[in-house]
């Protein structure tokens, strides 16, 4: 899961001042016509003389067979899934001296049907955006009153790595663990320094779980909890971006500073039938259509009056 600073929002405490970096998204309208209640209800090149560039084999992460077997129980469910429905609650936490001094909440509601039908709804105080994608069309309801259509639909695996519009602070792991038929290992096990089982303590003291810890090449650390017994499903993903931000060097962070994202999978279902209507945009009355995303950005780059 490679960090994309262009899609990231993070409160950073510097010299007693709270600075907020936000993605380029126009303020959301109060109306919520795009709410998906139907979802919640149910490199370097080779040094040889060859003129053709050759991608070298990626250094394998430090991960033993037992860990691979344990985490594959979840990853295989997604690889083989015909459909999914998920609801994820997100908390962005700024922590100083072990105390949470700032917190922002948001949520995802996602549904998918393999191979390439999906919808992603992201909701926060600043944003209400939903992507509709099927085999023939792709539409982004940027706000409840503005939308645009893409030239061609998205491939689901490609959407995991790169969405055409900012959808939350760190969407790749959310999509990798939510879309049917994708290969989550490309996000969770690639570009890693290590992955290991941390413990098998009950999650929240009551659910039999396996706790994995991964450290990425870019120093992002993630903790993933999944159920230990059938049906296997994700419970929580915790992503600590502190060391990555520190290594980036562009900000002078206090020694006791942490920035953490917590994704709680409140609903996670596979192989339930999804209506094709979930993946088709129905134009909202009086909604403005933009020919391209760039046209939308150009039209909304000036601050709006409250």
């Amino acid at each position: 899961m490679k960090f994309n600073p262009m899609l990231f929002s993070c409160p950073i405490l510097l010299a007693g001042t709270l600075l907020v970096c936000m993605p380029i998204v126009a303020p959301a309208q109060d109306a919520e016509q795009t709410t998906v209640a139907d979802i919640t209800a149910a490199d370097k090149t080779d040094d040889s003389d060859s003129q053709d560039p050759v991608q070298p084999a990626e250094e394998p992460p430090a991960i033993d067979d037992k860990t691979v077997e344990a985490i594959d129980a979840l990853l295989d469910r997604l690889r083989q899934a015909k459909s999914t429905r998920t609801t994820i609650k997100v908390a962005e936490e700024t922590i100083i001296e072990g105390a949470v001094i700032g917190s922002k909440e948001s949520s995802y509601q996602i549904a998918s049907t393999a191979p390439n039908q999906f919808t992603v709804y992201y909701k926060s105080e600043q944003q209400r955006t939903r992507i509709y994608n099927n085999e023939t069309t792709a539409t982004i309801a940027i706000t409840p009153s503005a939308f645009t259509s893409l030239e061609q639909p998205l491939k689901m695996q490609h959407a995991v790595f790169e969405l055409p519009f900012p959808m939350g602070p760190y969407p790749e792991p959310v999509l990798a663990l939510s879309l049917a038929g994708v290969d989550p290992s490309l996000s969770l096990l690639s570009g890693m320094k290590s992955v290991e089982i941390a413990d098998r303590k009950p999650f929240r003291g009551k659910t039999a779980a396996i706790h994995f810890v991964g450290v990425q090449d870019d120093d992002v650390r993630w903790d993933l909890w999944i159920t230990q017994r059938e049906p296997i499903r994700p419970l929580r993903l915790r992503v600590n971006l502190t060391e990555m931000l520190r290594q980036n060097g562009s900000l002078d962070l206090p020694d006791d500073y942490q920035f953490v994202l917590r994704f709680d999978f409140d609903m996670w279902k596979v192989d339930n039938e999804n209506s094709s209507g979930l993946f088709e945009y129905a134009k909202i009355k009086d909604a403005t259509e933009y020919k391209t995303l760039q046209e939308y950005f150009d039209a909304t780059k000036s601050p709006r009056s409250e």
Side-chain angles (χ1 to χ4, degrees), residues 113-118 133-135 153-157:
T113 297
N116 290 310
Q117 297 185 90
F118 66 91
N133 193 88
N134 54 47
E135 298 292 348
L154 303 167
K155 299 297 184 182
M156 198 131 65
Q157 185 72 66

Side-chain angles (χ1 to χ4, degrees), residues 195-215:
V195 181
E196 61 185 7
I197 296 175
D199 60 68
R200 294 176 181 266
K201 298 177 182 178
F203 181 72
R204 291 178 173 171
K206 60 182 181 180
T207 302
I210 306 176
H211 172 199
F212 300 90
V213 175
V215 180

